[in-house]
Amino acid sequence: MNTYKLLKIGFFFLAVLLFTGCTSESKTSENTITIPEVKQASLFVIKNVNIIPMTVDNTVIENATVVIDKNKIVGINTAIPEGAKVIDGTNQWLLPGLIDMHVHTNADLNFRENSPTQGATVFMDTQEVMTTHVANGVTTIFELGARVEHFGQRNEIAKGKVIGPRMALAALINGGDPNEGGRTVTNESDARQAVRSAKAEGYNFIKVYSQLNRESFIASIDEAQKQGLKVVGHIPDAFKGATEKAFIPNFGLVAHAEEYSKQIRNKTKTKKDAEVFARMTKKNNTWVTPNLLAIVKIRDQVQSLDSIRLMKTLKYVHPLLQDKWLTSNNYHKDASPEFIAYLDSIISFHKELVKAFKKEGVPMVAGTDAGTSGIVTGFGLHDELALLVDASLTNEEALLAATRLPASWLGISDKIGTVEAGKFADLILLDANPLEDIRNTRQITGVFVNGRWLNKEKIDMMLSNLAEKNEANKEKYEWKKRREY
């Protein structure tokens, strides 16, 4: 099997695998995770906390007081208002909520043949989809294959029915096989119309994909610029041998380091190649999501399905996907020593790319490709941060890649990305300093999600309920029977 074809079985195949639905307004099943309708305090004070603001100078503010009213930070080291709920932040560290710039979010899905009145056939509760994000301090996500169902999820969060992250949505435009998802275009006219349609549907971002021909790729990006939409995506296969021609104005963000390695798939990849790619990226003012985790996880499951089976976080994955990852794993199916060696070489080259991007001054943002087999939403972002540090970023640079920089690229830096008065209260409270050890981002004491406080006890309860429901429903779902649901 063509190695790239195998590697890119990611988003489109998984977009057909992933699913969840909307919470009923009146009923829930006995196993559904519910958020009790208890009137919560809206005025909070965090006392004696060490703030890592992630501002440009990023000077740590020690033993600070942070005042939160409703969903905003209203003061730092200001007077403590009467009636506030006080959180003791002694010896703890406060960061902006984390941002995952590459996810594929589970949403309602029809596994049967489409018909005029056929709705989705598999449903889940939206809270279950979002729980692992917020439990890990991920308060904003960038969905890179959005469908109408994702607008519905975003609305549930906005209404307060679901505790979930802010969602940025990208409409996908592709060429080639229409069964691979997205809006399929083959010429300039269709590409421009697809972009205009996406804007009319409410999207703020366009994602370009691998099978676009050069004409359609260039037209999509140009029309997006005319429509005021930013572009993220792949470097299409059509640019192999002339990669620099893909770097045109408004191609704002490359979605994977793999987009570079696949351009020279059949040759030995060197440090010099990484430097050439970095220069052409910088010249075009394009940013990069390295997404190191995806290939690492693919390599692990190609090597052994125990890498899936023994995951401590597997219990938080819906049982239908658990079964798919273990019984119909397309990465492991074609395992061979040669393929493992190839993946190892790609992993090494991606580290060289990160070093070259850093040296050249290419801005990097953190993304996980969450939803890909083996990558659990929320938890994966902490893994990605550790891989970025291993690839040469400092702890502070890795944190920047998951806070202020992505907020800036998304165009919402006036709302999130730093700990400052006037910003939304999307915050993560840690037991240890991540500037000293990036692994400390996992030491979560609590999370503010749009001003709603989740302490450790609440987070643990939400995760425990999710795991219990998945375990209880394991016998109800088999991937091979999905067409019967």
Side-chain angles (χ1 to χ4, degrees), residues 272-305:
K272 183 178 180 180
D273 291 321
E275 291 170 345
V276 169
F277 285 140
R279 284 194 294 271
M280 70 175 67
T281 306
K282 178 63 176 178
K283 183 179 179 181
N284 198 53
N285 296 317
T286 301
W287 295 28
V288 175
T289 306
N291 196 1
L292 303 177
L293 182 61
I295 302 301
V296 170
K297 285 293 187 179
I298 290 170
R299 188 274 314 276
D300 290 347
Q301 58 202 287
V302 168
Q303 191 166 5
S304 172
L305 285 181

Side-chain angles (χ1 to χ4, degrees), residues 3-193:
T3 53
Y4 172 59
K5 286 288 186 184
L6 184 59
L7 282 176
K8 73 174 210 173
I9 297 172
F11 164 61
F12 286 129
F13 187 61
L14 284 159
V16 179
L17 320 184
L18 303 176
F19 45 85
T20 86
C22 303
T23 307
S24 167
E25 292 186 21
S26 57
K27 297 180 181 179
T28 56
S29 72
E30 62 181 357
N31 290 318
T32 297
I33 296 175
T34 59
I35 304 301
E37 293 299 323
V38 177
K39 185 174 178 59
Q40 286 210 347
S42 62
L43 182 61
F44 292 89
V45 170
I46 310 174
K47 292 181 63 177
N48 303 319
V49 71
N50 300 305
I51 302 173
I52 305 174
M54 298 313 301
T55 50
V56 174
D57 62 11
N58 200 31
T59 301
V60 173
I61 307 171
E62 298 181 349
N63 299 316
T65 298
V66 180
V67 181
I68 297 165
D69 190 8
K70 296 183 176 66
N71 64 344
K72 294 282 186 70
I73 302 169
V74 297
I76 295 176
N77 287 334
T78 56
I80 297 176
E82 292 185 8
K85 178 177 175 60
V86 177
I87 299 168
D88 184 7
T90 303
N91 297 322
Q92 295 180 30
W93 302 81
L94 189 70
L95 281 172
L98 302 178
I99 302 172
D100 190 333
M101 287 290 282
H102 191 147
V103 305
H104 299 295
T105 308
N106 303 351
D108 297 349
L109 194 68
N110 171 25
F111 277 103
R112 299 178 188 170
E113 184 177 352
N114 191 24
S115 68
T117 60
Q118 178 66 58
T121 59
V122 178
F123 304 88
M124 284 181 57
D125 183 272
T126 305
Q127 185 61 64
E128 296 167 16
V129 183
M130 303 303 169
T131 287
T132 50
H133 284 302
V134 297
N136 282 280
V138 178
T139 56
T140 300
I141 58 176
F142 193 15
E143 167 56 52
L144 292 192
R147 299 181 281 124
V148 63
E149 289 83 0
H150 296 119
F151 284 94
Q153 291 177 330
R154 189 166 72 174
N155 288 343
E156 285 189 89
I157 294 168
K159 291 175 183 177
K161 293 181 178 180
V162 168
I163 302 176
R166 304 178 193 281
M167 297 178 69
L169 307 178
L172 192 142
I173 298 179
N174 194 19
D177 185 353
N179 293 321
E180 290 204 11
R183 294 158 171 80
T184 303
V185 301
T186 58
N187 57 58
E188 177 182 354
S189 177
D190 288 349
R192 291 186 183 278
Q193 183 56 51

Side-chain angles (χ1 to χ4, degrees), residues 2 93 119 135 234 303 345 438 445 482:
N2 182 290
W93 302 81
H234 291 200
Q303 191 166 5
S345 72
I438 197 63
T445 296
R482 65 193 181 281

Side-chain angles (χ1 to χ4, degrees), residues 139-412:
T139 56
T140 300
I141 58 176
F142 193 15
E143 167 56 52
L144 292 192
R147 299 181 281 124
V148 63
E149 289 83 0
H150 296 119
F151 284 94
Q153 291 177 330
R154 189 166 72 174
N155 288 343
E156 285 189 89
I157 294 168
K159 291 175 183 177
K161 293 181 178 180
V162 168
I163 302 176
R166 304 178 193 281
M167 297 178 69
L169 307 178
L172 192 142
I173 298 179
N174 194 19
D177 185 353
N179 293 321
E180 290 204 11
R183 294 158 171 80
T184 303
V185 301
T186 58
N187 57 58
E188 177 182 354
S189 177
D190 288 349
R192 291 186 183 278
Q193 183 56 51
V195 171
R196 291 192 290 267
S197 296
K199 182 177 181 179
E201 292 165 22
Y203 290 96
N204 299 106
F205 304 94
I206 297 296
K207 182 183 180 182
V208 289
Y209 206 68
S210 300
Q211 292 182 325
L212 286 170
N213 59 36
R214 292 192 188 186
E215 176 190 10
S216 300
F217 175 84
I218 292 169
S220 296
I221 295 174
D222 180 66
E223 186 63 32
Q225 187 170 35
K226 291 179 179 178
Q227 298 298 326
L229 307 180
K230 299 187 81 169
V231 176
V232 57
H234 291 200
I235 303 172
D237 298 344
F239 288 96
K240 286 176 186 171
T243 308
E244 68 281 356
K245 294 185 182 299
F247 285 89
I248 60 176
N250 201 43
F251 185 25
L253 178 62
V254 177
H256 307 263
E258 182 191 349
E259 296 312 307
Y260 297 91
S261 57
K262 78 179 185 184
Q263 290 285 306
I264 52 172
R265 182 169 59 249
N266 297 321
K267 62 167 285 188
T268 302
K269 298 158 190 65
T270 67
K271 179 180 178 181
K272 183 178 180 180
D273 291 321
E275 291 170 345
V276 169
F277 285 140
R279 284 194 294 271
M280 70 175 67
T281 306
K282 178 63 176 178
K283 183 179 179 181
N284 198 53
N285 296 317
T286 301
W287 295 28
V288 175
T289 306
N291 196 1
L292 303 177
L293 182 61
I295 302 301
V296 170
K297 285 293 187 179
I298 290 170
R299 188 274 314 276
D300 290 347
Q301 58 202 287
V302 168
Q303 191 166 5
S304 172
L305 285 181
D306 281 346
S307 67
I308 301 290
R309 189 176 292 108
L310 301 178
M311 287 171 55
K312 292 181 179 179
T313 55
L314 186 63
K315 59 188 175 183
Y316 304 123
V317 176
H318 186 273
L320 184 58
L321 285 182
Q322 289 189 37
D323 188 72
K324 188 268 169 186
W325 290 3
L326 289 168
T327 67
S328 184
N329 190 302
N330 285 283
Y331 300 127
H332 185 70
K333 185 168 58 178
D334 294 322
S336 69
E338 294 77 17
F339 190 42
I340 293 171
Y342 172 76
L343 291 170
D344 282 335
S345 72
I346 295 296
I347 290 169
S348 296
F349 182 64
H350 290 176
K351 289 184 181 181
E352 289 296 336
L353 279 170
V354 171
K355 292 175 184 176
F357 293 144
K358 178 176 176 176
K359 181 179 179 181
E360 201 64 37
V362 175
M364 288 177 275
V365 293
T368 62
D369 217 350
T372 298
S373 178
I375 303 177
V376 182
T377 54
F379 293 95
L381 189 54
H382 301 285
D383 296 330
E384 180 70 18
L385 294 178
L387 288 170
L388 287 171
V389 170
D390 181 61
S392 78
L393 296 196
T394 66
N395 295 331
E396 183 174 2
E397 288 167 341
L399 293 173
L400 184 63
T403 54
R404 191 179 86 240
L405 283 183
S408 176
W409 194 90
L410 291 170
I412 52 176

